Amino acid sequence: MPPHSDGVGAALQIDGSAVCLKAMFRLPVPDDLHLHLRQGPHLANYARDTAAQFGRALVMPNTRPPISGPAALREYRRQIVTACSAYAFEPLMSFKLAPDHDAQAVHALADAGAVAAKYYPRGATTNSEDGIEDLRTLYPAIEALQERDVILCLHGEDPSAFCLSRETAFLPRLEELVNRFPRLRIVLEHVSTADAVRVVRTLPQTVGATITAHHLVLTLDDLIGDLLNPHHFCKPVVKTPDDRNALREAATSGDRRFFFGSDSAPHRRADKECACGCAGVYTAPVAIAVLAGVFELDCPGAGDAEQPLWVRRLRAFLCENGAAFYRLPPARGELVLAPEEWLVPAAYHDVVPLMAAKRLRWRASRV
Ligand code: NCD
Ligand code: ZN
């Protein structure tokens, strides 16, 4: 095993001795505030994997064609709701900011029910060739977001910087935005560095950040430290053990600015296991179980009579902080977290998930 890796799953796998005496826990059904569902024949499979464990999700708009206008947004929501009709599942819709968006376009999208706008720098990630060259050209549209209280979600990387420095290079843009639009709620998505955690902590409460499950357990060693593992390749790229530790500290701290967004991003096996493989890690079916393992390890305190500290902190990260930032009503329904060993399938619908063929010791299911 590479020296700086804690071996994905090794720390989270069952250790035989510790399993049997654990209790089962109930949480409100959680929210995933950053999710890719794609379009077309696979949408229903991906959507149901999420709806089996989450009550709401903020659906990303980087489909082909993108969700950038009101008609596309309404139609995409209809498709997701239809696919998930067996579940009480609410898709929260976002739209992709386009270079020609003005205030009027934003008003039309807000009227169609968009809760968030997503900024993709051109060329930064999957399907971002039509992204934005210079964020400042969009200031009239961003002014309208502030006016309508639509949240701005940022893919916070500067694609012109060295790949491991792209997030850090973007952070001055975030500070500029906060200064210029003091009432705008902004989410820095899938933070991957200690730098981003530090900067978010210095900013006002209008700024939040999502953290994925995979950035809490992977480092660059899990991607390229031994044999190349394309299923651990995503944007922003997973980074150093210090970065991962800073993310774990932020996620498990209870700080209301940090909340869960899976960035679960399915790409079929052939699109990952090839030259020029796509960026994205599929985590929807495993994310909650992985998070439970991380929080259990990192929050050993006693807690109160009802729930141990790690469960209370997990509940804040997964069910409370994001919902509060997005001003969502209380979730309807519950999730049961059971101390039950299970083997993660090698693939779901031809997509290799995080922890494929590994054992996890918590199982999450909606009740
Ligand atoms: C995402 C995807 O595949 O759509 N990929 C990723 O590596 N995270 C896009 C994104 O969120 O950057
Ligand atoms: Zn994403």
Side-chain angles (χ1 to χ4, degrees), residues 21-164:
L21 301 170
K22 294 185 180 183
M24 185 149 119
F25 300 105
R26 282 176 179 265
L27 301 176
V29 68
D31 301 312
D32 178 353
L33 291 162
H34 182 132
L35 174 68
H36 299 273
L37 291 178
R38 315 304 188 203
Q39 266 174 327
H42 304 293
L43 160 64
N45 287 331
Y46 305 148
R48 288 174 198 148
D49 281 352
T50 286
Q53 308 216 330
F54 295 87
R56 293 176 289 225
L58 182 72
V59 182
M60 290 294 119
N62 65 331
T63 48
R64 274 181 207 256
I67 308 303
S68 286
L73 186 134
R74 288 194 179 97
E75 172 57 18
Y76 195 29
R77 178 172 43 211
R78 189 193 65 74
Q79 290 173 11
I80 298 164
V81 168
T82 304
C84 299
S85 57
Y87 300 90
F89 179 75
E90 184 188 355
L92 308 168
M93 303 310 292
S94 69
F95 68 91
K96 186 181 195 178
L97 280 166
D100 64 353
H101 273 157
D102 55 14
Q104 203 186 346
V106 168
H107 286 295
L109 281 149
D111 290 341
V115 303
K118 181 70 189 282
Y119 160 74
Y120 289 100
R122 184 169 295 180
T125 188
T126 304
N127 298 345
S128 64
E129 304 75 19
D130 56 354
I132 308 299
E133 201 95 62
D134 180 356
L135 189 52
R136 284 166 278 218
T137 60
L138 279 178
Y139 278 178
I142 295 175
E143 187 76 52
L145 294 176
Q146 177 171 259
E147 191 186 324
R148 293 297 298 266
D149 210 11
V150 174
I151 290 176
L152 176 61
C153 295
L154 300 172
H155 184 109
E157 290 194 288
D158 174 351
S160 68
F162 171 63
C163 67
L164 297 180

Side-chain angles (χ1 to χ4, degrees), residues 210-231:
T210 53
I211 304 180
T212 76
H214 49 287
H215 286 94
L216 294 180
V217 293
L218 301 176
T219 71
L220 204 49
D221 269 346
D222 299 300
L223 173 62
I224 54 169
D226 190 4
L227 297 179
L228 172 66
N229 186 339
H231 301 293

Side-chain angles (χ1 to χ4, degrees), residues 99-366:
D100 64 353
H101 273 157
D102 55 14
Q104 203 186 346
V106 168
H107 286 295
L109 281 149
D111 290 341
V115 303
K118 181 70 189 282
Y119 160 74
Y120 289 100
R122 184 169 295 180
T125 188
T126 304
N127 298 345
S128 64
E129 304 75 19
D130 56 354
I132 308 299
E133 201 95 62
D134 180 356
L135 189 52
R136 284 166 278 218
T137 60
L138 279 178
Y139 278 178
I142 295 175
E143 187 76 52
L145 294 176
Q146 177 171 259
E147 191 186 324
R148 293 297 298 266
D149 210 11
V150 174
I151 290 176
L152 176 61
C153 295
L154 300 172
H155 184 109
E157 290 194 288
D158 174 351
S160 68
F162 171 63
C163 67
L164 297 180
S165 310
R166 287 177 190 167
E167 187 169 275
T168 301
F170 180 82
L171 294 171
R173 296 283 89 72
L174 170 63
E175 293 176 300
E176 233 170 84
L177 272 173
V178 173
N179 289 334
R180 191 166 179 118
F181 301 102
R183 288 179 292 110
L184 178 67
R185 283 181 293 150
I186 301 174
V187 179
L188 186 62
E189 298 290 341
H190 41 53
V191 286
S192 67
T193 58
D195 285 344
V197 168
R198 185 178 44 72
V199 167
V200 167
R201 284 199 165 119
T202 65
L203 294 172
Q205 298 292 328
T206 48
V207 179
T210 53
I211 304 180
T212 76
H214 49 287
H215 286 94
L216 294 180
V217 293
L218 301 176
T219 71
L220 204 49
D221 269 346
D222 299 300
L223 173 62
I224 54 169
D226 190 4
L227 297 179
L228 172 66
N229 186 339
H231 301 293
H232 292 162
F233 174 54
C234 63
K235 299 291 181 74
V237 164
V238 291
K239 301 207 167 57
T240 69
D242 285 348
D243 290 311
R244 184 201 48 193
N245 293 345
L247 298 171
R248 281 170 83 135
E249 201 283 314
T252 60
S253 66
D255 185 331
R256 290 173 73 84
R257 275 173 293 204
F258 297 99
F259 47 87
F260 182 61
S262 71
D263 195 16
S264 180
H267 293 278
R268 301 180 79 197
R269 191 192 284 268
D271 295 325
K272 295 286 282 179
E273 297 176 1
C274 59
C276 305
C278 295
V281 180
Y282 191 51
T283 60
V286 300
I288 297 174
V290 168
L291 290 175
V294 166
F295 277 66
E296 188 186 22
L297 274 178
D298 287 8
C299 304
D304 56 31
E306 220 172 287
Q307 291 192 327
L309 181 66
W310 72 265
V311 178
R312 283 175 35 215
R313 291 281 169 86
L314 179 64
R315 179 185 173 124
F317 181 67
L318 199 53
C319 316
E320 294 169 356
N321 298 354
F325 190 92
Y326 273 80
R327 300 183 187 148
L328 303 175
R332 281 177 299 163
E334 284 190 319
L335 181 92
V336 168
L337 207 51
E340 190 186 314
E341 182 188 354
W342 61 292
L343 180 65
V344 177
Y348 292 84
H349 341 291
D350 202 30
V351 176
V352 177
L354 180 68
M355 304 292 181
K358 291 201 158 79
R359 288 181 182 283
L360 294 177
R361 59 185 185 189
W362 289 100
R363 188 191 277 283
S365 36
R366 278 182 86 164

